[in-house]
Amino acid sequence: MRIGVLGAGAIGGFVGGCLLAGRADVIFVGRQARGTVWQQDGLRLTDLDGRDDVIGPERIAYCDTVSSLRGCDVVLVAVKSGQTADAAASLSPVLAAGTPVLSLQNGIENTATLKRVLPSAKVLRGMVPFNVTMPGPAHLHRATEGEIVVEDDPAMVSIAPFFRAGGLPLQLRHDMEAVQWAKLLMNLNNAVNALSGLPLRQQLGMRGFRRCLALSQREALSLLVAEGRVRPARLTPLPPSWLPTVLDLPDGLFRMLASRMLKIDETARSSMADDLAAGRFPEVDWINGELVALAAKLGRSAPVNARLCALVKEAAAHGLKPWQPAALLEELERVARPLAQRTGGHAVEVGDDRGGS
Ligand SMILES: NC(=O)c1ccc[n+]([C@@H]2O[C@H](COP(=O)([O-])OP(=O)(O)OC[C@H]3O[C@@H](n4cnc5c(N)ncnc54)[C@H](OP(=O)(O)O)[C@@H]3O)[C@@H](O)[C@H]2O)c1
């Protein structure tokens, strides 16, 4: 089986690298500069549980053109959400009909985009729960824990063993939309983390920032209840609806109850923080923005998530001025307050409640 990886970045590199370590035949498609380093130095894969594998440069097949994925039996998509449509369009003339295309991306919309642009492919939803960092140009590190979840489909019968051989246990599930929404609830922290300018563990250790995340999650949960179509899956020991309450707890209690959530390497940051640092357009429209879109569909508003979108985009455009927890919380509580309270009872045009800029 030949496995193609479209998007040789943090996730594509780590997952593809693990598959290679498990002796799969993998070809990476990514930017040439990265390929040059990997094909010169090899690829080192480490994790917080002590994994330390080095894959020799001679084993790394890497190309910067999508056409090299011709003939692959499965393609893993690991580009950022904003790049999905273009990446899929270049994959379209290359892919044989019925080829499984497994999205390992965050957000809800990527598989719909892939299905639209690749109507003859077998698009499968995947969810990667862990964070991957790049301590060096040829070194990828899994900085948190969790098992990859993939849509339970007959195509996975021949693909899953390669994941297991590579030390990536898989859960196969039928409720992938619920799984993706549960992951999106966790990913709402990406924006808070990016705005904090801090490593994840330090940021999540601060109650003010956790309360920002709790506000954003409460808004999400209330919209999902209002829509009534999908209930986020339970991916953690606590049900998703309890998460905001736990996040609100004082630091000591939170550390006791949510120690697993804090099992993060000290230097790890969210991939949205990495986007800001690298000057890339952040994925925020596909995460917090998904709630703004859902609110609009329901004739409601999502002021907290709209404000987080606006703040992250502002930081991307003009540079990040890291927020203090109390200031960010005050800003989000301000936009979350009903409009009448914010204006002291003065009449304000309806529909002006998004708080975005
Ligand atoms: N990083 C994490 O810890 C993590 C964890 C779970 C899920 N995810 C999700 O996984 C997805 C990928 O995230 P990531 O952090 O791995 O992204 P990433 O590090 O930016 O990797 C994507 C790579 O693909 C390259 N690329 C994009 N389009 C391409 C094309 N058409 N041809 C060749 N190369 C192309 C990008 O290059 P340029 O940057 O030059 O465009 C980038 O190097 C996202 O949806 C993210 O939310 C990430």
Side-chain angles (χ1 to χ4, degrees):
M1 174 168 293
R2 189 157 174 78
I3 302 175
V5 174
L6 177 46
I11 291 300
F14 187 81
V15 172
C18 289
L19 295 170
L20 255 180
R23 304 262 143 217
D25 177 9
V26 176
I27 171 155
F28 294 102
V29 169
R31 303 303 179 201
Q32 192 48 53
R34 180 161 294 152
T36 304
V37 177
W38 290 5
Q39 288 183 314
Q40 190 178 296
D41 299 349
L43 186 57
R44 182 173 174 211
L45 305 170
T46 56
D47 71 18
L48 76 172
D49 298 318
R51 175 177 200 146
D52 197 342
D53 288 334
V54 177
I55 297 160
E58 72 289 348
R59 294 204 52 220
I60 295 182
Y62 193 111
C63 197
D64 64 350
T65 50
V66 178
S67 57
S68 58
L69 297 179
R70 193 181 301 279
C72 279
D73 300 291
V74 54
V75 174
L76 314 182
V77 178
V79 297
K80 286 272 164 64
S81 302
Q83 301 170 317
T84 305
D86 282 352
S90 46
L91 190 57
S92 175
V94 168
L95 214 60
T99 305
V101 171
L102 171 57
S103 164
L104 297 176
Q105 302 158 285
N106 282 329
I108 309 294
E109 275 305 305
N110 285 301
T111 43
T113 304
L114 289 170
K115 282 181 184 167
R116 182 169 44 76
V117 184
L118 299 169
S120 67
K122 185 178 211 21
V123 176
L124 300 175
R125 296 170 195 252
M127 190 281 284
V128 177
F130 48 74
N131 172 281
V132 173
T133 60
M134 284 200 191
H139 179 187
L140 295 165
H141 177 76
R142 175 170 66 75
T144 60
E145 54 184 19
E147 280 183 4
I148 297 179
V149 186
V150 175
E151 191 167 334
D152 195 353
D153 181 277
M156 287 310 296
V157 172
S158 50
I159 301 168
F162 291 96
F163 278 76
R164 296 193 184 107
L168 292 170
L170 276 189
Q171 266 186 52
L172 299 177
R173 291 176 65 142
H174 289 288
D175 59 344
M176 281 307 293
E177 195 180 359
V179 167
Q180 286 184 308
W181 273 108
K183 177 73 196 300
L184 188 133
L185 287 177
M186 315 293 256
N187 284 142
L188 294 176
N189 189 54
N190 292 6
V192 179
N193 177 253
L195 293 170
S196 77
L198 296 173
L200 275 164
R201 194 159 89 185
Q202 201 180 337
Q203 173 251 314
L204 279 168
M206 298 166 91
R207 188 183 187 203
F209 284 133
R210 288 199 308 276
R211 290 181 65 197
C212 294
L213 172 59
L215 275 180
S216 154
Q217 287 188 343
R218 280 200 179 92
E219 188 174 90
L221 286 162
S222 100
L223 289 166
L224 287 171
V225 169
E227 192 196 26
R229 201 178 49 81
V230 58
R231 190 200 267 201
R234 183 170 172 168
L235 300 178
T236 57
L238 294 172
S241 57
W242 290 22
L243 290 175
T245 308
V246 173
L247 289 166
D248 275 346
L249 292 172
D251 291 339
L253 261 176
F254 176 77
R255 268 196 295 274
M256 262 167 50
L257 278 174
S259 54
R260 254 189 71 189
M261 207 167 160
L262 290 173
K263 199 174 169 208
I264 313 171
D265 273 2
E266 260 175 48
T267 55
R269 292 167 195 263
S270 70
S271 60
M272 207 178 287
D274 293 341
D275 286 342
L276 288 190
R280 293 184 301 240
F281 188 76
E283 220 176 12
V284 71
D285 279 341
W286 285 265
I287 298 178
N288 308 72
E290 191 67 46
L291 297 158
V292 180
L294 176 58
K297 199 174 104 187
L298 296 171
R300 296 170 56 147
S301 65
V304 172
N305 285 290
R307 189 71 190 128
L308 284 167
C309 283
L311 292 176
V312 169
K313 287 184 205 172
E314 217 168 277
H318 305 295
L320 174 68
K321 291 193 196 83
W323 284 76
Q324 291 302 310
L328 186 58
L329 182 60
E330 193 185 323
E331 175 68 7
L332 298 182
E333 283 178 337
R334 182 184 68 76
V335 296
R337 273 197 296 276
L339 201 55
Q341 273 183 35
R342 268 190 275 150
T343 57
H346 298 301
V348 171
E349 214 173 299
V350 181
D352 182 30
D353 201 11
R354 298 283 174 81
S357 63

